[in-house]
Amino acid sequence: PEQQAATLAALDITPPEKIAVFCPGAEYGPAKRWPARHFAALAEELATRGFTLWLLGSPKDHAVGEDIIGLAAPGMPIVNFCGKTSLSQAIDLIAAARFVVCNDSGLMHVAAALERPLIALYGSSSPGFTPPLSPLARIISLNLECSPCFKRECPLGHLDCLNKLGPPQVLAACLNSAQESSV
């Protein structure tokens, strides 16, 4: 708690009541990244339910964070912390979340280790190889015939494994996780 309080003070954050964290990056490549437009649509739905969205990731993820903000309706409570925190600060912010939505990435494993409710999105990779090790994780994958392909870029050029994984399906998992974590 002291470290988390120090992080919040260092970043000049007064935590809102309901925080959802999105980790929109994936170092491996675009075939592991849920589209920014989907994250933006999900953010809008969650904001209407009183959530503030914190985007976390590396400096390389800052641009996708800005894309999410730009694609969301103006005035949405979304803060892009991508590239603005140390790893230990990101850990403290994830620990404050009601739930976390992320691609198959390092921060997914951090959220799992922190035992935060987690919605893990899989496209080109497989939860059979890199699962989040947490009973609070919900894995969402379309399990298409072409996935997992384990490629950095979609070899078929359509990225259906993530493009067709719509925000409504992820929203349902988020709302279930939020309800369970508030009990």
Side-chain angles (χ1 to χ4, degrees):
E2 292 94 21
Q3 181 177 325
Q4 189 176 52
T7 292
L8 294 170
L11 296 172
D12 195 27
I13 299 171
T14 301
E17 183 180 332
K18 293 167 58 174
I19 303 162
V21 167
F22 291 173
C23 303
E27 190 65 29
Y28 186 72
K32 284 179 74 172
R33 291 187 206 122
W34 201 43
R37 71 182 183 284
H38 288 353
F39 273 113
L42 181 61
E44 289 179 10
E45 289 293 331
L46 291 170
T48 65
R49 290 162 171 85
F51 283 92
T52 295
L53 296 302
W54 290 351
L55 310 178
L56 293 173
S58 73
K60 292 179 183 179
D61 302 322
H62 185 77
V64 74
E66 290 302 304
D67 289 345
I68 292 166
I69 291 170
L71 291 165
M76 289 289 108
I78 306 171
V79 182
N80 186 2
F81 290 112
C82 294
K84 296 181 179 179
T85 66
S86 66
L87 179 57
S88 64
Q89 289 173 324
I91 290 168
D92 290 332
L93 296 181
I94 289 170
R98 183 85 54 99
F99 59 86
V100 180
V101 178
C102 53
N103 301 311
D104 177 12
S105 66
L107 288 178
M108 175 193 73
H109 296 290
V110 167
L114 291 170
E115 296 188 351
R116 299 311 311 136
L118 167 65
I119 296 84
L121 309 174
Y122 281 80
S124 70
S125 59
S126 168
F129 291 95
T130 56
L133 300 176
S134 168
L136 300 178
R138 286 180 159 79
I139 295 169
I140 302 179
S141 174
L142 294 178
N143 298 310
L144 300 179
E145 187 176 306
C146 57
S147 67
C149 67
F150 301 103
K151 303 292 184 188
R152 290 181 185 270
E153 307 241 356
C154 178
L156 303 175
H158 54 59
L159 199 60
D160 282 352
C161 59
L162 292 170
N163 285 324
K164 290 185 175 181
L165 178 58
Q169 184 177 359
V170 179
L171 175 64
C174 291
L175 297 177
N176 286 336
S177 290
Q179 183 177 28
E180 290 169 7
S181 70
S182 65
V183 174

PDB file of all heavy atoms in Angstrom, residues 47-67:
ATOM      1  N   ALA A  47     -17.067   3.545 -19.869  1.00  0.00           N
ATOM      2  CA  ALA A  47     -17.205   4.910 -19.332  1.00  0.00           C
ATOM      3  C   ALA A  47     -18.661   5.216 -19.011  1.00  0.00           C
ATOM      4  O   ALA A  47     -18.950   5.873 -17.999  1.00  0.00           O
ATOM      5  CB  ALA A  47     -16.631   5.922 -20.319  1.00  0.00           C
ATOM      6  N   THR A  48     -19.580   4.730 -19.846  1.00  0.00           N
ATOM      7  CA  THR A  48     -21.002   4.972 -19.561  1.00  0.00           C
ATOM      8  C   THR A  48     -21.446   4.241 -18.294  1.00  0.00           C
ATOM      9  O   THR A  48     -22.492   4.564 -17.731  1.00  0.00           O
ATOM     10  CB  THR A  48     -21.920   4.542 -20.729  1.00  0.00           C
ATOM     11  OG1 THR A  48     -21.850   3.132 -20.897  1.00  0.00           O
ATOM     12  CG2 THR A  48     -21.554   5.258 -22.016  1.00  0.00           C
ATOM     13  N   ARG A  49     -20.639   3.301 -17.838  1.00  0.00           N
ATOM     14  CA  ARG A  49     -20.935   2.558 -16.608  1.00  0.00           C
ATOM     15  C   ARG A  49     -20.093   3.058 -15.440  1.00  0.00           C
ATOM     16  O   ARG A  49     -19.965   2.386 -14.418  1.00  0.00           O
ATOM     17  CB  ARG A  49     -20.713   1.066 -16.848  1.00  0.00           C
ATOM     18  CG  ARG A  49     -21.772   0.469 -17.793  1.00  0.00           C
ATOM     19  CD  ARG A  49     -21.317  -0.852 -18.374  1.00  0.00           C
ATOM     20  NE  ARG A  49     -22.381  -1.524 -19.092  1.00  0.00           N
ATOM     21  CZ  ARG A  49     -22.690  -1.275 -20.370  1.00  0.00           C
ATOM     22  NH1 ARG A  49     -22.004  -0.372 -21.067  1.00  0.00           N
ATOM     23  NH2 ARG A  49     -23.669  -1.937 -20.970  1.00  0.00           N
ATOM     24  N   GLY A  50     -19.478   4.225 -15.606  1.00  0.00           N
ATOM     25  CA  GLY A  50     -18.756   4.863 -14.507  1.00  0.00           C
ATOM     26  C   GLY A  50     -17.290   4.530 -14.373  1.00  0.00           C
ATOM     27  O   GLY A  50     -16.650   4.924 -13.399  1.00  0.00           O
ATOM     28  N   PHE A  51     -16.717   3.837 -15.349  1.00  0.00           N
ATOM     29  CA  PHE A  51     -15.298   3.480 -15.269  1.00  0.00           C
ATOM     30  C   PHE A  51     -14.407   4.571 -15.852  1.00  0.00           C
ATOM     31  O   PHE A  51     -14.754   5.204 -16.848  1.00  0.00           O
ATOM     32  CB  PHE A  51     -15.013   2.169 -16.025  1.00  0.00           C
ATOM     33  CG  PHE A  51     -15.433   0.949 -15.271  1.00  0.00           C
ATOM     34  CD1 PHE A  51     -16.701   0.420 -15.452  1.00  0.00           C
ATOM     35  CD2 PHE A  51     -14.580   0.330 -14.373  1.00  0.00           C
ATOM     36  CE1 PHE A  51     -17.121  -0.708 -14.754  1.00  0.00           C
ATOM     37  CE2 PHE A  51     -14.981  -0.797 -13.669  1.00  0.00           C
ATOM     38  CZ  PHE A  51     -16.252  -1.317 -13.866  1.00  0.00           C
ATOM     39  N   THR A  52     -13.249   4.741 -15.234  1.00  0.00           N
ATOM     40  CA  THR A  52     -12.155   5.505 -15.811  1.00  0.00           C
ATOM     41  C   THR A  52     -11.180   4.483 -16.364  1.00  0.00           C
ATOM     42  O   THR A  52     -10.932   3.451 -15.736  1.00  0.00           O
ATOM     43  CB  THR A  52     -11.464   6.374 -14.739  1.00  0.00           C
ATOM     44  OG1 THR A  52     -12.410   7.340 -14.279  1.00  0.00           O
ATOM     45  CG2 THR A  52     -10.237   7.076 -15.301  1.00  0.00           C
ATOM     46  N   LEU A  53     -10.647   4.744 -17.556  1.00  0.00           N
ATOM     47  CA  LEU A  53      -9.748   3.809 -18.230  1.00  0.00           C
ATOM     48  C   LEU A  53      -8.319   4.309 -18.157  1.00  0.00           C
ATOM     49  O   LEU A  53      -8.038   5.450 -18.523  1.00  0.00           O
ATOM     50  CB  LEU A  53     -10.151   3.628 -19.698  1.00  0.00           C
ATOM     51  CG  LEU A  53     -11.501   2.992 -19.982  1.00  0.00           C
ATOM     52  CD1 LEU A  53     -11.632   1.640 -19.386  1.00  0.00           C
ATOM     53  CD2 LEU A  53     -12.664   3.868 -19.717  1.00  0.00           C
ATOM     54  N   TRP A  54      -7.440   3.447 -17.699  1.00  0.00           N
ATOM     55  CA  TRP A  54      -6.014   3.734 -17.696  1.00  0.00           C
ATOM     56  C   TRP A  54      -5.357   2.812 -18.717  1.00  0.00           C
ATOM     57  O   TRP A  54      -5.530   1.594 -18.665  1.00  0.00           O
ATOM     58  CB  TRP A  54      -5.407   3.479 -16.323  1.00  0.00           C
ATOM     59  CG  TRP A  54      -5.811   4.463 -15.267  1.00  0.00           C
ATOM     60  CD1 TRP A  54      -6.502   5.630 -15.428  1.00  0.00           C
ATOM     61  CD2 TRP A  54      -5.538   4.346 -13.868  1.00  0.00           C
ATOM     62  NE1 TRP A  54      -6.666   6.243 -14.220  1.00  0.00           N
ATOM     63  CE2 TRP A  54      -6.087   5.489 -13.242  1.00  0.00           C
ATOM     64  CE3 TRP A  54      -4.891   3.401 -13.090  1.00  0.00           C
ATOM     65  CZ2 TRP A  54      -5.996   5.702 -11.873  1.00  0.00           C
ATOM     66  CZ3 TRP A  54      -4.795   3.607 -11.719  1.00  0.00           C
ATOM     67  CH2 TRP A  54      -5.340   4.749 -11.120  1.00  0.00           C
ATOM     68  N   LEU A  55      -4.608   3.394 -19.639  1.00  0.00           N
ATOM     69  CA  LEU A  55      -3.877   2.633 -20.648  1.00  0.00           C
ATOM     70  C   LEU A  55      -2.437   2.500 -20.179  1.00  0.00           C
ATOM     71  O   LEU A  55      -1.784   3.506 -19.884  1.00  0.00           O
ATOM     72  CB  LEU A  55      -3.933   3.345 -21.996  1.00  0.00           C
ATOM     73  CG  LEU A  55      -5.318   3.788 -22.479  1.00  0.00           C
ATOM     74  CD1 LEU A  55      -5.206   4.517 -23.816  1.00  0.00           C
ATOM     75  CD2 LEU A  55      -6.258   2.613 -22.580  1.00  0.00           C
ATOM     76  N   LEU A  56      -1.945   1.276 -20.137  1.00  0.00           N
ATOM     77  CA  LEU A  56      -0.579   1.025 -19.673  1.00  0.00           C
ATOM     78  C   LEU A  56       0.202   0.261 -20.720  1.00  0.00           C
ATOM     79  O   LEU A  56      -0.344  -0.602 -21.416  1.00  0.00           O
ATOM     80  CB  LEU A  56      -0.598   0.226 -18.368  1.00  0.00           C
ATOM     81  CG  LEU A  56      -1.163   0.955 -17.156  1.00  0.00           C
ATOM     82  CD1 LEU A  56      -1.277   0.008 -15.974  1.00  0.00           C
ATOM     83  CD2 LEU A  56      -0.299   2.151 -16.801  1.00  0.00           C
ATOM     84  N   GLY A  57       1.478   0.569 -20.795  1.00  0.00           N
ATOM     85  CA  GLY A  57       2.364  -0.115 -21.724  1.00  0.00           C
ATOM     86  C   GLY A  57       3.697   0.605 -21.812  1.00  0.00           C
ATOM     87  O   GLY A  57       3.966   1.545 -21.065  1.00  0.00           O
ATOM     88  N   SER A  58       4.488   0.175 -22.733  1.00  0.00           N
ATOM     89  CA  SER A  58       5.828   0.725 -22.920  1.00  0.00           C
ATOM     90  C   SER A  58       5.766   1.993 -23.771  1.00  0.00           C
ATOM     91  O   SER A  58       4.709   2.336 -24.321  1.00  0.00           O
ATOM     92  CB  SER A  58       6.705  -0.316 -23.620  1.00  0.00           C
ATOM     93  OG  SER A  58       6.323  -0.414 -24.990  1.00  0.00           O
ATOM     94  N   PRO A  59       6.895   2.680 -23.919  1.00  0.00           N
ATOM     95  CA  PRO A  59       6.911   3.845 -24.818  1.00  0.00           C
ATOM     96  C   PRO A  59       6.470   3.483 -26.243  1.00  0.00           C
ATOM     97  O   PRO A  59       5.835   4.298 -26.915  1.00  0.00           O
ATOM     98  CB  PRO A  59       8.374   4.299 -24.789  1.00  0.00           C
ATOM     99  CG  PRO A  59       8.863   3.874 -23.438  1.00  0.00           C
ATOM    100  CD  PRO A  59       8.168   2.547 -23.190  1.00  0.00           C
ATOM    101  N   LYS A  60       6.741   2.255 -26.687  1.00  0.00           N
ATOM    102  CA  LYS A  60       6.321   1.826 -28.024  1.00  0.00           C
ATOM    103  C   LYS A  60       4.797   1.744 -28.146  1.00  0.00           C
ATOM    104  O   LYS A  60       4.261   1.768 -29.245  1.00  0.00           O
ATOM    105  CB  LYS A  60       6.921   0.466 -28.367  1.00  0.00           C
ATOM    106  CG  LYS A  60       8.410   0.473 -28.563  1.00  0.00           C
ATOM    107  CD  LYS A  60       8.907  -0.929 -28.865  1.00  0.00           C
ATOM    108  CE  LYS A  60      10.403  -0.971 -28.988  1.00  0.00           C
ATOM    109  NZ  LYS A  60      10.887  -2.330 -29.246  1.00  0.00           N
ATOM    110  N   ASP A  61       4.099   1.633 -27.013  1.00  0.00           N
ATOM    111  CA  ASP A  61       2.643   1.517 -27.018  1.00  0.00           C
ATOM    112  C   ASP A  61       1.942   2.871 -26.915  1.00  0.00           C
ATOM    113  O   ASP A  61       0.718   2.948 -27.009  1.00  0.00           O
ATOM    114  CB  ASP A  61       2.179   0.622 -25.856  1.00  0.00           C
ATOM    115  CG  ASP A  61       2.792  -0.757 -25.903  1.00  0.00           C
ATOM    116  OD1 ASP A  61       2.940  -1.293 -27.024  1.00  0.00           O
ATOM    117  OD2 ASP A  61       3.128  -1.299 -24.832  1.00  0.00           O
ATOM    118  N   HIS A  62       2.722   3.932 -26.718  1.00  0.00           N
ATOM    119  CA  HIS A  62       2.117   5.258 -26.535  1.00  0.00           C
ATOM    120  C   HIS A  62       1.239   5.642 -27.734  1.00  0.00           C
ATOM    121  O   HIS A  62       0.124   6.152 -27.552  1.00  0.00           O
ATOM    122  CB  HIS A  62       3.186   6.328 -26.295  1.00  0.00           C
ATOM    123  CG  HIS A  62       2.598   7.660 -25.977  1.00  0.00           C
ATOM    124  ND1 HIS A  62       2.075   7.976 -24.745  1.00  0.00           N
ATOM    125  CD2 HIS A  62       2.406   8.755 -26.750  1.00  0.00           C
ATOM    126  CE1 HIS A  62       1.597   9.195 -24.763  1.00  0.00           C
ATOM    127  NE2 HIS A  62       1.784   9.698 -25.966  1.00  0.00           N
ATOM    128  N   ALA A  63       1.709   5.377 -28.939  1.00  0.00           N
ATOM    129  CA  ALA A  63       0.938   5.758 -30.139  1.00  0.00           C
ATOM    130  C   ALA A  63      -0.397   5.024 -30.198  1.00  0.00           C
ATOM    131  O   ALA A  63      -1.420   5.634 -30.527  1.00  0.00           O
ATOM    132  CB  ALA A  63       1.755   5.490 -31.404  1.00  0.00           C
ATOM    133  N   VAL A  64      -0.421   3.740 -29.872  1.00  0.00           N
ATOM    134  CA  VAL A  64      -1.700   3.023 -29.895  1.00  0.00           C
ATOM    135  C   VAL A  64      -2.614   3.567 -28.802  1.00  0.00           C
ATOM    136  O   VAL A  64      -3.831   3.651 -28.987  1.00  0.00           O
ATOM    137  CB  VAL A  64      -1.535   1.491 -29.817  1.00  0.00           C
ATOM    138  CG1 VAL A  64      -1.142   1.014 -28.444  1.00  0.00           C
ATOM    139  CG2 VAL A  64      -2.809   0.787 -30.244  1.00  0.00           C
ATOM    140  N   GLY A  65      -2.058   3.974 -27.679  1.00  0.00           N
ATOM    141  CA  GLY A  65      -2.866   4.611 -26.640  1.00  0.00           C
ATOM    142  C   GLY A  65      -3.510   5.895 -27.142  1.00  0.00           C
ATOM    143  O   GLY A  65      -4.696   6.145 -26.896  1.00  0.00           O
ATOM    144  N   GLU A  66      -2.735   6.685 -27.867  1.00  0.00           N
ATOM    145  CA  GLU A  66      -3.279   7.912 -28.448  1.00  0.00           C
ATOM    146  C   GLU A  66      -4.334   7.592 -29.503  1.00  0.00           C
ATOM    147  O   GLU A  66      -5.331   8.306 -29.622  1.00  0.00           O
ATOM    148  CB  GLU A  66      -2.153   8.775 -29.035  1.00  0.00           C
ATOM    149  CG  GLU A  66      -1.251   9.387 -27.967  1.00  0.00           C
ATOM    150  CD  GLU A  66      -1.990  10.259 -26.973  1.00  0.00           C
ATOM    151  OE1 GLU A  66      -2.671  11.228 -27.404  1.00  0.00           O
ATOM    152  OE2 GLU A  66      -1.908   9.974 -25.755  1.00  0.00           O
ATOM    153  N   ASP A  67      -4.119   6.522 -30.266  1.00  0.00           N
ATOM    154  CA  ASP A  67      -5.135   6.091 -31.240  1.00  0.00           C
ATOM    155  C   ASP A  67      -6.449   5.752 -30.541  1.00  0.00           C
ATOM    156  O   ASP A  67      -7.522   6.120 -31.016  1.00  0.00           O
ATOM    157  CB  ASP A  67      -4.657   4.872 -32.038  1.00  0.00           C
ATOM    158  CG  ASP A  67      -3.558   5.177 -33.037  1.00  0.00           C
ATOM    159  OD1 ASP A  67      -3.330   6.377 -33.339  1.00  0.00           O
ATOM    160  OD2 ASP A  67      -2.915   4.220 -33.504  1.00  0.00           O
TER     161      ASP A  67
END
